[in-house]
């Protein structure tokens, strides 16, 4: 799909960014486990308070048993760990993006100053927009890794509670696949078009400024401006399409989730597929799975949108055959 | 703090963006109400299933009573509405940002082409980074409006359940105020510095490209490159500071939230401040309030970071005394 082999891509993104990506993904994975632990602890706590009619069997076997004191320690432990990990993951993700931008911009700087000659509009476009979108593409890969693993963990927990119900729910979710695949294909087209429009706008603007005096003498500013404004507007129109598609992709599972959840609850109760006490864990984990699914979906959109930018910068780097530099 | 009067700022951001901001904020507010309705519906549903030992008194009086069928209709209604509103709000927010960028970029285009003369590095910096950060500053204002109102709604619900406990919890949260205020002041400094470094990098790069031949003749490329790389790195160092501060601000309430929640639960039960059945609603709403608080906090950081960018573009626009144009 992108070409060039994993090794080349690792050299392209740089050792530092790769390490940060791995660090952020690890923090995200641990966070996923802690989130599940936190959810069960809260249930144990509410059961200890006498609010939830939960029998011990509906809590996983690895969770320590005991009264209120045990439940409170669990909530405190998972709560504090979760808060810390969220902050760490947030920090690592932001820093990954910043470092990815730094490396690419630093390479663009060196290339622009040591190469034969470079068009300043091309450099400006690469230095600003291309480096930024490439960095956020790398960022969405990290999001994908984390959310897919958290999703797999949640799905495993759901399968453990009730294999039959989970497989039926998975089959129902699969009905959305064609819609999502169609949207992803459209996003790919929109992305390629938006690059073209952005570049055109940027190069027109910088070229006009360089030749401003000439344009003024010939009285062509108005025409030049109209052309630049047009391509700016075409770019925004493409972005509108992109947002329409991603919002639609976001809405589908969010709407289907609670409906499917209720359906599961009612059918399970009528047919006796699950004990009522197990149902509350199931319901909660199912909603979290839908969240993870939505997140995977959004990261996928961002990835598909960013890939042409990434590919272009990767292609430039491959051609320039720079040494990996500060990476 | 920014100066210039609300009317001038409305003209600066443009009528279209203002309308989108209002639309997005409205969708967000309705979403906040729907979120609360959804939470109560889920409780009613779980109570109807026999999983939650909830007496009718712990559900708000506006929620229709009845058996399983009523509860299911409520969950379905609020669930679908919530999904739709989330998608609409997401779309409106993205579009607001895109339109805000479009208007500013369109003005910069006109000014650059019709003005006396403009430095291309200044134009590139304004057209790319400044327009973008200004747009995301406008976006965080919208986030602030929505989250503050949702927070107020949640706080009112908590006060209705138990005024005493809620006031005590609010007092405990106030202990964080000095830390958050200190972080916000630091973010303000970091933002101003990051602008300076970014502009220096950008102008150095574009100037060097224009004078590339001269630089090569004098053998000064290496020196020029080192200077540009230095200011690029200084910019990234500032961004590291920014991310450290925002991650810290994010962690504090997230860690305090569950601990405070447990404390409330235990004290309430021991002293008989709340019925166990009311406690579960309280606990849930309290966690949502902490989320809203975290969100307000993050939007505030983004706003403080973006304000100097906004102010600079606003100052430029005020000087240029353009007509509000396409706004």
């Amino acid at each position: 799909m992108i070409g060039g082999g994993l090794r080349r891509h690792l050299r392209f993104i740089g050792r530092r960014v790769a390490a940060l990506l791995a660090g952020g993904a690890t923090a995200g994975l641990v966070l996923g486990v802690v989130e599940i632990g936190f959810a069960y602890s809260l249930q144990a706590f509410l059961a200890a308070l006498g609010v939830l009619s939960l029998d011990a069997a509906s809590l996983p076997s690895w969770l320590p048993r005991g009264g209120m004191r045990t439940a409170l320690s669990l909530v405190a432990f998972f709560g504090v760990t979760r808060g810390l990990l969220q902050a760490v993951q947030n920090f690592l993700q932001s820093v990954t993006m910043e470092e990815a931008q730094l490396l690419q911009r630093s390479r663009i700087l060196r290339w622009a100053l040591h190469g034969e000659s470079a068009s300043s509009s091309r450099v400006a476009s690469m230095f600003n927009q291309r480096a930024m979108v490439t960095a956020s593409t790398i960022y969405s890969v990290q999001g994908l890794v984390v959310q897919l693993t958290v999703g797999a963990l949640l799905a495993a927990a759901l399968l453990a509670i009730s294999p039959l119900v989970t497989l039926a729910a998975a089959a129902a979710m699969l009905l959305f696949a064609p819609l999502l695949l169609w949207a992803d294909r459209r996003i790919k087209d929109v992305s390629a078009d938006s690059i073209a429009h952005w570049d055109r706008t940027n190069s027109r603007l910088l070229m006009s400024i360089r030749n401003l005096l000439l344009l003024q003498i010939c009285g062509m500013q108005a025409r030049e401006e109209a052309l630049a404004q047009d391509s700016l507007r075409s770019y925004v129109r493409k972005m509108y399409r992109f947002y329409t598609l991603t919002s639609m992709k976001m809405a589908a599972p969010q709407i289907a989730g609670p409906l499917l959840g209720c359906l599961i609850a009612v059918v399970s109760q009528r047919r006796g597929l699950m004990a009522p006490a197990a149902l509350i864990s199931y319901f909660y984990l199912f909603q979290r799975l839908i969240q993870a699914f939505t997140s995977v979906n959004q990261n996928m959109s961002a990835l598909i949108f960013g890939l042409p930018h990434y590919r272009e910068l990767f292609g430039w780097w491959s051609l320039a055959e720079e040494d990996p530099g500060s990476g």
Side-chain angles (χ1 to χ4, degrees), chain A:
Chain A
M1 190 171 179
I2 324 175
L6 186 61
R7 271 207 147 166
R8 259 190 99 54
H9 284 282
L10 279 178
R11 268 183 59 209
F12 172 64
I13 67 171
R15 222 173 301 154
R16 197 160 173 164
V17 172
L20 281 167
L21 266 180
T26 310
L29 296 185
V30 181
L31 182 59
V33 177
V34 169
E35 283 268 24
I36 294 176
F38 185 68
Y40 281 123
S41 305
L42 269 186
Q43 283 183 29
F45 173 67
L46 292 173
L49 269 180
V51 183
L52 266 188
S53 49
L54 210 66
D55 55 47
S58 67
L59 287 173
S61 53
W62 48 262
L63 208 73
R65 299 300 135 119
M68 183 51 124
R69 191 165 288 197
T70 316
L72 261 186
S73 328
L74 281 173
V75 173
F77 169 74
F78 281 116
V80 171
T81 316
R82 191 179 68 142
L84 283 176
L85 277 172
Q86 271 174 347
V88 167
Q89 206 225 347
N90 182 48
F91 180 74
L92 282 177
Q93 271 206 330
S94 310
V95 160
T96 306
M97 214 157 98
E98 209 59 50
E99 284 286 337
Q101 285 183 29
L102 172 65
L103 176 60
Q104 302 308 333
R105 284 180 173 152
S106 158
R107 282 175 181 160
I108 294 166
L109 264 180
R110 191 178 325 150
W111 166 76
L113 282 166
H114 292 283
E116 297 285 295
S117 80
S119 114
S120 57
S121 82
R122 186 171 173 214
V123 172
S125 218
M126 281 168 75
F127 193 74
N128 289 293
Q129 213 231 7
R130 205 78 77 241
M132 203 186 70
V133 182
T134 296
S136 61
T137 308
I138 293 173
Y139 179 91
S140 26
V141 171
Q142 191 176 38
L144 264 185
V145 170
V146 171
Q147 294 297 333
L148 278 175
T149 321
V150 171
L153 279 171
L154 289 165
L158 289 173
L159 274 172
I161 300 178
S162 174
L164 186 67
V165 174
T166 306
L167 290 175
M173 291 307 281
L174 269 182
L175 291 177
F176 285 104
L179 174 72
L180 300 180
L181 287 176
W182 169 83
D184 281 343
R185 256 199 312 277
R186 299 285 308 118
I187 287 173
K188 207 171 142 192
D189 297 343
V190 167
S191 169
D193 290 353
S194 86
I195 290 193
H197 288 299
W198 177 260
D199 283 353
R200 211 171 302 151
T201 314
N202 226 335
S203 74
R204 201 171 280 280
L205 173 64
L206 287 175
M207 211 168 61
S208 305
I209 291 168
R210 243 181 339 214
N211 305 315
L212 194 57
L213 200 65
L214 195 70
L215 286 177
Q216 285 173 335
I217 292 169
C218 306
M220 278 167 71
Q221 295 141 283
R223 202 183 135 262
E224 272 303 302
E225 197 216 320
L227 287 171
Q229 298 276 14
D230 265 2
S231 60
L232 183 58
R233 256 160 244 278
S234 308
Y235 168 74
V236 172
R237 262 199 302 278
K238 290 291 161 193
M239 292 308 288
Y240 260 77
R241 281 257 182 90
F242 175 68
Y243 294 128
T244 310
L245 289 164
T246 48
S247 298
M248 220 180 60
K249 275 183 73 179
M250 185 186 157
Q254 296 278 61
I255 292 174
L259 293 181
L260 205 54
C262 290
L263 195 70
I264 289 172
V266 174
V267 172
S268 301
Q269 212 203 20
R270 293 234 172 120
R271 302 271 162 113
L273 296 174
M274 246 186 275
L279 203 54
I280 195 164
S281 306
Y282 195 90
F283 205 87
Y284 176 84
L285 291 172
F286 187 73
Q287 296 304 323
R288 285 284 296 118
L289 181 63
I290 294 285
Q291 274 176 25
F293 183 72
T294 307
S295 206
V296 165
N297 222 336
Q298 285 176 312
N299 278 308
M300 198 51 126
S301 304
L303 182 62
I304 291 170
F305 180 79
L307 217 48
H309 296 253
Y310 178 96
R311 204 184 283 127
E312 218 200 274
L313 211 54
F314 180 72
W316 159 80
W317 172 78
S318 296
L319 270 181
E321 286 195 332
E322 283 198 344
D323 62 347
S326 44

